Amino acid sequence: MPFHPEDSADDGLQSLRDACEQLCQGSPAPDDFFSGIVPRLGADADVRAVLVWLLDPSGQVQLAAEDRLLELTLGRGLSIDSEHQRLLEETMADGRSRVAPGRPDDPQGIPAHSLVLAGVRSGLHGIGVVELFADADVPAAGLTRLRQLAELAASYLSRCCAPTPAPAAVPEDVRFWERFERFVLQIQRSLDPKEVAQIAVNDGRYLLGCA
């Protein structure tokens, strides 16, 4: 269901949240998440285009998903000026959201517009940006609404699609003391000297790596 400015901000956020929750239940691949959420953002009456930037495996920023970009650029390709580049870099670095209202016409033909950006994170690291191009005449309250939508989409993208880090290896000395603790507990389970001696021999060999 598209968003419309006349809808309450709470209704729009809840609608997007419900869609994200439904998608995340199935642990979607990023492309599945993009196809379910990016067009919903692009259908907002105040949005001209949606872009999602993500780091690729080599650490380079790539355009991972978009909606209505061709319509925005009139087929001429996206030109990123120095201010736009700075906004993307800062959002990627700190994960915060930003609004750049009232940007002038782009020399490549993009009409005057506003930008809304929200960071995508994996743990403490920035890995991407959700970016909305909005009409230049969208008022401050409308940009705040779009900022909330971008933040929500970015947070779910972080939650559902960010790479899961491999579990940290347990140091060998930690594993030894865990085994030793289990060994002591096993010995303390019995008061029978013969049984204690048998546990000590069998489990002691395992503890020392002689099993």
Side-chain angles (χ1 to χ4, degrees):
M1 181 174 119
F3 303 120
H4 298 284
E6 61 270 18
D7 295 338
S8 74
D10 288 345
D11 289 346
L13 284 171
Q14 188 58 51
S15 176
L16 180 61
R17 184 178 290 109
D18 290 344
C20 290
E21 283 287 352
Q22 185 174 3
L23 276 171
C24 285
Q25 286 177 2
S27 300
D31 286 346
D32 294 333
F33 186 88
F34 297 149
S35 63
I37 298 304
V38 172
R40 291 177 62 87
L41 294 171
D44 189 291
D46 284 339
V47 172
R48 297 184 60 87
V50 182
L51 283 68
V52 178
W53 306 91
L54 288 178
L55 291 178
D56 66 14
S58 67
Q60 300 298 310
V61 178
Q62 300 290 338
L63 183 61
E66 56 84 15
D67 188 70
R68 299 172 62 191
L69 178 59
L70 189 64
E71 179 182 333
L72 174 73
T73 61
L74 302 177
R76 298 172 184 167
L78 179 64
S79 174
I80 297 180
D81 57 43
S82 58
E83 181 194 18
H84 191 175
Q85 181 71 29
R86 177 182 59 81
L87 290 167
L88 287 169
E89 290 175 352
E90 291 178 352
T91 305
M92 177 80 75
D94 63 23
R96 298 178 180 175
S97 61
R98 287 171 170 78
V99 175
R103 284 168 49 86
D105 292 352
D106 184 277
Q108 299 297 319
I110 299 177
H113 58 277
S114 296
L115 290 176
V116 178
L117 307 93
V120 180
R121 302 187 69 77
S122 175
L124 298 177
H125 305 288
I127 61 167
V129 177
V130 173
E131 182 174 35
L132 308 181
F133 282 75
D135 290 320
D137 58 357
V138 175
L143 291 176
T144 297
R145 181 182 66 85
L146 294 182
R147 184 176 190 168
Q148 293 172 331
L149 293 174
E151 288 173 343
L152 184 63
S155 70
Y156 273 95
L157 183 55
S158 300
R159 168 183 157 188
C160 297
C161 303
T164 302
V170 179
E172 180 59 35
D173 59 337
V174 174
R175 290 201 296 267
F176 172 82
W177 288 111
E178 288 177 346
R179 294 197 301 268
F180 181 78
E181 183 178 359
R182 290 195 296 269
F183 171 69
V184 172
L185 290 174
Q186 281 289 100
I187 290 178
Q188 293 174 342
R189 288 176 55 187
S190 175
L191 296 177
D192 184 340
K194 292 184 178 179
E195 185 176 355
V196 170
Q198 185 176 8
I199 292 173
V201 171
N202 294 335
D203 289 13
R205 294 181 62 191
Y206 168 75
L207 177 66
L208 296 174
C210 301

